Amino acid sequence: MKSIYKYLIIGGLVLGITSCENDFLDLNPTGQFTDAAYFKKPSDFKAYATSFYGQLQGWDFGNMDTNSDLSANTRGEGYDLGHGTIPATGTTWNYSGIRNCNILLDKAKSYKGEGDITPYMGEAYFFRAYNYFGLLKNFGGVPIITSVLDDKSPELYAPRNSRYEVTEQILSDLNKAITMLPSESSIPSNEKGKVSITTALALKAQVELYEATWEKYVGQTTDGDGQTIGAGSKGYDASNVNNYLTDVIASCEQIMASGIYSIWNKNANTAMAKSSSWYLFNLEDAASNPGGYDKTTNKEFILYSVYDYVYRQSGKNITWTSGQLYPSRKFVDMAVCTDGLPASKSPLFQGYHAAFDEFKNRDLRLLNYLYGASTTPTATPILNFGSLGYSGYSNSKFGVYGFGTRRVDNTESANWPIIRLAEVYLMYAEALYELNGSITDAQLDASINILRDRAGVARLTNALVTTYGLDMKEEIRRERAVELYREGKRFDDLKRWGILEAALNPSRLGRVVGSASYLTPYKDASGNPTSAYTANTYVFGEEAVQTPAGLLNCVVIDSKLNHSVEKKHYLFPIPSNQISINTNLLQNPGYN
């Protein structure tokens, strides 16, 4: 691991020389890389390629689905999309990573030295695809740039390519990366975290599932005509949906069959108190959990951002802040009971009469992801924490073991997961159902039921779905929402399923407080607030909502009156400063 940090530092120095044009569509290029002594030997390409890893998503509270439908807190991250108030300025239009990949690939064309540089070219193709995927998710179609530009390059003023052309460019790059990258098993232990063939396969599956379901459920409604507005539909092919889904299944099967990765399930160790779904996300050294497991035991993360207590700490107050990422009523009710049934269908669900009833007989992920989600509480939650009030729940996912003694704020150094095997299982199951309209019990057992095993709940079967009148597609989506809670997937999922408005416009609610006819710990026999619930601290009051125990009053953390999400919000607006530089960039529909 020390080796990868060494190269990150060296690569950072190189990057400082080469990326003065860090946003080539944001400003006029001021110079080209001209160091004749560089890119002469494989180690030069290796150092430069290692600098790409700084482009990966890392520890940032903006990556935790804040202000989604599963988040009741009112922190600022994600507020614009979560409420339908996206400004036209924008901050996510960034081609610097793409330009840096183009530099390496351009230098590779003239490389005459001895030694193989193929793996580093593979990294450049991978990261160029990764960057274009980020742009695709934010803006749809964008200009495709695959060469190094100068201040006279006409591509600086090119129009947008369509989302379909961008997707094909991404897949072309990933296919090249797959032929050039090393196998995961051949990467030395001190360089783990570098991308491999299976990493590229996982990203390819993610891209194709995203685009297939987008085209299936959103369609061409956000494209515009490409002449007066939007990026248009050039390259659209209706057969791509099934082609992409078929390819997702094949890629996932290849990863699953490789034997390289496995689900990190240490629940059999009594010292771990069935809390693998908590310790996985704060895994560092052997002292980071009572079982003595360190990062080398984690074979679940496939693409991740590497951190280290000595070389690269998070620099974020992760434990303290993540505790303020309050789960919503919707998320808590999503988790199934131990019989595998949704709480609304399960005879095991205990309701809300006592403070911890709702956590009894429930999915271990719910208990692992929430502070205080215990059936043997030491204290009653108090719902009077300020002018906006809190949800009555507190997030524990990402919080560290031994906070305040073993680790303090800003020093937490667990790796940040971007794609893990759990998501591969979820993508596999979803793609199968989207393609065929069905999934077999054997396919469920080979994928998401492995996650249910770790969660301590009964397996999902076709018989369970039929007997209890469930919808298999919705159950697969439920599994995804619960398993990947706060891992930066939720907004993208709501968009590609075409349900962004329906999910984000309702109020974000907290605990059930009931009424005179449904007593909870938070009201007395007359329906008046008890000391555990101070109603006047909740400026939006209460709202009746359908819960697994019927229509009940819940505290409102973020009122539906604040939400105005529309179809246009499936894409961000092209930043106004970019349009002023390049008048050929047409704005996305709805923002003019």
Side-chain angles (χ1 to χ4, degrees):
M1 189 170 290
K2 294 180 181 179
S3 176
I4 196 170
Y5 290 107
K6 176 182 72 174
Y7 279 114
L8 276 170
I9 294 169
I10 295 173
L13 294 175
V14 174
L15 194 60
I17 297 171
T18 62
S19 62
C20 56
E21 308 154 47
N22 63 336
D23 293 326
F24 72 83
L25 295 182
D26 293 343
L27 47 84
N28 290 327
T30 57
Q32 292 283 10
F33 182 85
T34 58
D35 187 352
Y38 209 71
F39 291 115
K40 296 297 183 183
K41 53 187 183 296
S43 60
D44 298 336
F45 284 88
K46 180 177 182 179
Y48 191 83
T50 305
S51 72
F52 297 159
Y53 289 83
Q55 300 169 18
L56 289 174
Q57 184 188 79
W59 282 108
D60 190 297
F61 300 115
N63 297 334
M64 296 182 183
D65 299 319
T66 307
N67 280 295
S68 76
D69 58 329
L70 305 185
S71 171
N73 57 287
T74 53
R75 283 182 60 88
E77 300 91 352
Y79 186 94
D80 293 342
L81 177 55
H83 291 75
T85 57
I86 303 174
T89 51
T91 58
T92 54
W93 184 276
N94 190 325
Y95 273 71
S96 61
I98 292 168
R99 176 173 176 77
N100 292 329
C101 293
N102 287 342
I103 287 173
L104 186 147
L105 292 172
D106 180 69
K107 294 297 180 183
K109 293 177 184 177
S110 57
Y111 173 68
K112 304 296 184 183
E114 296 181 0
D116 186 18
I117 63 169
T118 301
Y120 317 123
M121 294 173 64
E123 287 174 295
Y125 282 120
F126 177 91
F127 279 98
R128 190 166 72 180
Y130 176 85
N131 278 281
Y132 269 119
F133 186 38
L135 290 171
L136 176 75
K137 290 188 291 184
N138 285 333
F139 301 107
V142 294
I144 296 175
I145 307 296
T146 57
S147 60
V148 181
L149 307 184
D150 60 28
D151 58 359
K152 297 181 178 61
S153 298
E155 293 92 337
L156 286 171
Y157 307 101
R160 299 167 64 185
N161 292 91
S162 73
R163 69 175 302 114
Y164 314 102
E165 293 172 314
V166 174
T167 300
E168 287 304 304
Q169 176 62 45
I170 293 169
L171 296 178
S172 174
D173 279 350
L174 287 174
N175 285 334
K176 291 175 183 174
I178 288 166
T179 67
M180 296 178 169
L181 289 170
S183 65
E184 181 67 31
S185 59
S186 69
I187 297 175
S189 59
N190 65 343
E191 293 190 2
K192 287 298 184 184
K194 288 200 167 188
V195 297
S196 66
I197 295 169
T198 42
T199 314
L201 282 168
L203 181 59
K204 184 182 178 185
Q206 192 180 74
V207 171
E208 290 186 304
L209 182 62
Y210 185 90
E211 186 59 20
T213 48
W214 180 288
E215 293 184 24
K216 184 174 182 177
Y217 293 109
V218 181
Q220 297 173 271
T221 58
T222 58
D223 289 350
D225 58 19
Q227 301 298 315
T228 61
I229 194 166
S233 301
K234 186 178 180 182
Y236 172 74
D237 184 342
S239 67
N240 277 341
V241 171
N242 286 350
N243 291 339
Y244 289 159
L245 291 172
T246 300
D247 210 31
V248 172
I249 296 165
S251 293
C252 291
E253 286 179 337
Q254 188 172 341
I255 296 167
M256 292 157 60
S258 70
I260 297 170
Y261 306 102
S262 58
I263 292 298
W264 198 81
N265 185 359
K266 308 301 181 185
N267 288 346
N269 183 340
T270 55
M272 297 292 280
K274 297 183 179 180
S275 295
S276 295
S277 293
W278 182 52
Y279 292 114
L280 173 62
F281 299 100
N282 55 52
L283 190 62
E284 293 187 45
D285 55 23
S288 64
N289 56 82
Y293 303 104
D294 63 18
K295 287 181 179 179
T296 64
T297 67
N298 181 4
K299 307 301 181 184
E300 183 168 338
F301 288 8
I302 298 174
L303 175 61
Y304 52 97
S305 196
V306 178
Y307 288 83
D308 183 86
Y309 183 72
V310 175
Y311 295 98
R312 189 194 183 198
Q313 297 178 0
S314 68
K316 303 284 184 181
N317 52 352
I318 293 170
T319 306
W320 186 85
T321 302
S322 63
Q324 302 174 52
L325 302 179
Y326 309 114
S328 68
R329 160 91 276 125
K330 181 176 181 177
F331 173 72
V332 176
D333 287 342
M334 264 191 172
V336 297
C337 293
T338 52
D339 57 6
L341 290 170
S344 59
K345 299 278 188 177
S346 175
L348 299 180
F349 183 65
Q350 299 296 301
Y352 310 94
H353 291 291
F356 291 87
D357 279 355
E358 64 186 302
F359 299 124
K360 295 175 181 177
N361 308 318
R362 298 295 292 279
D363 191 317
L364 289 174
R365 290 169 293 193
L366 178 64
L367 308 187
N368 287 176
Y369 292 168
L370 273 65
Y371 283 124
S374 170
T375 56
T376 55
T378 56
T380 299
I382 306 299
L383 279 72
N384 58 353
F385 288 114
S387 60
L388 285 177
Y390 293 167
S391 72
Y393 308 108
S394 187
N395 175 70
S396 62
K397 191 170 183 177
F398 308 123
V400 302
Y401 176 65
F403 176 67
T405 53
R406 191 190 68 84
R407 288 288 183 268
V408 297
D409 278 332
N410 299 298
T411 69
E412 299 104 322
S413 306
N415 295 336
W416 172 260
I418 300 171
I419 306 177
R420 53 190 177 96
L421 181 60
E423 186 180 358
V424 170
Y425 288 155
L426 292 160
M427 291 192 293
Y428 175 69
E430 183 181 349
L432 279 166
Y433 194 84
E434 292 289 353
L435 180 65
N436 302 318
S438 63
I439 183 171
T440 68
D441 287 351
Q443 289 166 332
L444 288 166
D445 287 345
S447 57
I448 60 177
N449 279 334
I450 299 173
L451 307 181
R452 283 198 164 205
D453 290 346
R454 177 167 62 185
V457 300
R459 292 191 156 199
L460 180 63
T461 65
N462 282 280
L464 189 79
V465 168
T466 301
T467 302
Y468 291 93
L470 305 177
D471 182 322
M472 181 64 81
K473 180 175 72 174
E474 293 306 315
E475 292 309 302
I476 292 171
R477 290 182 177 184
R478 180 199 302 274
E479 284 296 314
R480 183 175 176 89
V482 173
E483 178 67 33
L484 302 181
Y485 167 70
R486 292 206 178 275
E487 292 182 49
K489 314 292 183 181
R490 187 61 177 174
F491 283 118
D492 289 339
D493 288 345
L494 297 178
K495 288 191 289 184
R496 66 187 180 86
W497 293 334
I499 59 173
L500 190 73
E501 311 98 310
L504 295 183
N505 281 329
S507 299
R508 313 289 195 271
L509 305 173
R511 273 190 184 263
V512 169
V513 293
S515 62
S517 61
Y518 189 97
L519 298 180
T520 73
Y522 313 117
K523 288 184 181 294
D524 62 23
S526 301
N528 298 315
T530 68
S531 60
Y533 169 49
T534 306
N536 62 12
T537 65
Y538 291 83
V539 298
F540 299 120
E542 301 174 10
E543 187 175 314
V545 64
Q546 195 65 40
T547 73
L551 192 68
L552 296 174
N553 280 8
C554 302
V555 291
V556 179
I557 310 303
D558 191 354
S559 172
K560 59 189 175 185
L561 299 176
N562 299 330
H563 307 161
S564 55
V565 180
E566 305 172 46
K567 180 65 69 174
K568 69 178 183 180
H569 296 123
Y570 283 63
L571 297 176
F572 289 174
I574 306 301
S576 53
N577 65 324
Q578 292 304 306
I579 293 176
S580 66
I581 294 170
N582 178 4
T583 57
N584 288 318
L585 294 178
L586 299 178
Q587 185 56 275
N588 276 324
Y591 290 104
N592 284 349

